[in-house]
Amino acid sequence: MTKMRVLAIPLVAALLATAGCGVFSDGDASSDAPLERTELRIGVGSPLDTAPLRVAVAEGKFTAAGLAVTLVDVPADQAIGKLSAGEIDLAFASDVSIFRAAAAGTALQLQGEAYTAGRNTMALVTLPGSEYSEPTLKKSPKIAVNMLDDVGVLVARSVLGTAGVDVNKIQFKQNPFDRMPQALQAGEVDAAWMVEPYITRAEKELGASILADGARGATLDFPMSSYVSTGAFGQGNARALAVFRKVLGEAQVRAADSATVRDALPSFSDIDRTTASLISLGTYPVSLNGIRLQRVADLMHNSGMIGARLDVQSMVPRS
């Protein structure tokens, strides 16, 4: 399958020309007032989503700005819990898990968007010879997702529902991404919701094909993940976090050149250079936009994943 790559450099340049150097920063990071703290512990997950942050840390960009950043590998399902327990200062997490926690009463403050889905960066995948060759061929499809009640469930419901499948009849089966091919081979599931690099690996190693691109319709250019702090930490460390957002934003700008990400991935993940050159990449937002993120919360509300409508703008730091 031919991979599509889109470079957003001209758009990014235009954004910077109109936004100045305050990328991701709602506060005055250039203030003479000292930072409330000079060290940040940041929980990280998906290498693809967090690539710009990891590169910036490795290149000393945060250190140069006065912040010593320590990256802590945290399983996706533990990120918000470790944040609330004070084990990390900022957490990388899916937007769905962030908004689910916020809707349940956890006081959180967004500190930057990490990643937005692009074409074939997330998809429903099947193996050769599968009888499930069209989304509507099964009335009650069994779909593998890495976590229940997270972005995979939300996206699968959206894509299959748009195609005409009764979303209440979809059977979700939890499987780690690296076990999904085995679940497909064993017939435990009809399709698997995968993200990169697992999609490319399944295509290379098993001849897998994409049943449905997950980044279309209501989930076109869908916000996938963000960096978040507790509300109290955000209020008490506004200047330090403004610096974090500024450096992160500059890193996201550089990541608009996909070569920056592809070249760096093998240095901090198990993604080899060949796979890195083939994977489909999404985009790395250069600003924190509550309106854009509201799409996720509203889709969650409309699908019944959360009860009352969540006001995402209230989670964005004030200038």
Side-chain angles (χ1 to χ4, degrees):
M1 179 184 65
T2 301
K3 298 288 182 181
M4 298 291 291
R5 300 182 186 176
V6 179
L7 295 182
I9 295 176
L11 175 60
V12 171
L15 286 171
L16 289 177
T18 57
C21 63
V23 179
F24 260 139
S25 177
D26 297 293
D28 183 6
S30 63
S31 171
D32 291 334
L35 303 184
E36 301 89 349
R37 65 178 59 228
T38 57
E39 298 180 359
L40 287 177
R41 301 164 298 168
I42 305 177
V44 290
S46 165
L48 275 180
D49 294 40
T50 61
L53 172 67
R54 293 173 186 263
V55 171
V57 171
E59 293 180 345
K61 301 296 185 182
F62 287 99
T63 302
L67 283 177
V69 170
T70 300
L71 300 182
V72 183
D73 286 317
V74 176
D77 59 348
Q78 298 179 25
I80 302 301
K82 287 185 176 295
L83 182 71
S84 297
E87 296 179 31
I88 52 178
D89 303 315
L90 274 72
F92 159 84
S94 73
D95 291 322
V96 171
S97 63
I98 291 171
F99 297 150
R100 189 175 62 242
T106 303
L108 298 171
Q109 187 178 89
L110 291 159
Q111 299 302 338
E113 293 183 57
Y115 192 62
T116 297
R119 181 182 177 185
N120 293 333
T121 58
M122 59 175 176
L124 293 176
V125 175
T126 58
L127 296 184
S130 170
E131 297 179 356
Y132 196 25
S133 57
E134 293 292 337
T136 55
L137 283 183
K138 290 186 178 291
K139 295 182 178 180
S140 183
K142 293 176 287 185
I143 307 296
V145 291
N146 66 314
M147 292 173 61
L148 299 176
D149 295 326
D150 209 327
V151 62
V153 171
L154 190 68
V155 170
R157 282 176 176 164
S158 177
V159 172
L160 292 177
T162 299
V165 177
D166 183 347
V167 297
N168 294 315
K169 293 183 178 180
I170 302 172
Q171 302 177 60
F172 290 104
K173 309 291 184 180
Q174 185 166 341
N175 285 272
F177 283 123
D178 58 6
R179 193 191 173 279
M180 288 182 183
Q182 288 75 24
L184 286 167
Q185 290 174 318
E188 297 171 10
V189 294
D190 300 308
W193 178 79
M194 294 184 179
V195 297
E196 290 285 31
Y198 300 97
I199 297 172
T200 294
R201 286 174 177 164
E203 289 173 336
K204 285 172 48 186
E205 299 169 6
L206 302 171
S209 59
I210 291 179
L211 173 70
D213 182 3
R216 65 180 186 181
T219 50
L220 179 68
D221 300 325
F222 198 61
M224 294 292 287
S225 52
S226 295
Y227 299 99
V228 66
S229 70
T230 64
F233 188 89
Q235 293 172 6
N237 298 277
R239 292 188 297 278
L241 291 171
V243 172
F244 167 79
R245 293 191 297 273
K246 180 177 184 295
V247 178
L248 176 65
E250 292 168 351
Q252 308 272 72
V253 168
R254 293 191 294 274
D257 179 358
S258 65
T260 300
V261 175
R262 296 181 193 278
D263 292 346
L265 281 172
S267 67
F268 53 77
S269 73
D270 62 354
I271 302 173
D272 60 77
R273 293 198 175 278
T274 299
T275 302
S277 70
L278 294 172
I279 57 176
S280 296
L281 285 176
T283 57
Y284 300 94
V286 300
S287 63
L288 177 57
N289 189 313
I291 295 175
R292 177 167 54 226
L293 291 171
Q294 189 68 50
R295 288 180 56 201
V296 181
D298 286 349
L299 187 59
M300 293 172 67
H301 173 56
N302 294 336
S303 70
M305 190 173 283
I306 58 175
R309 184 176 185 270
L310 182 69
D311 179 14
V312 174
Q313 192 61 42
S314 68
M315 299 173 63
V316 175
R318 297 181 179 179
S319 57

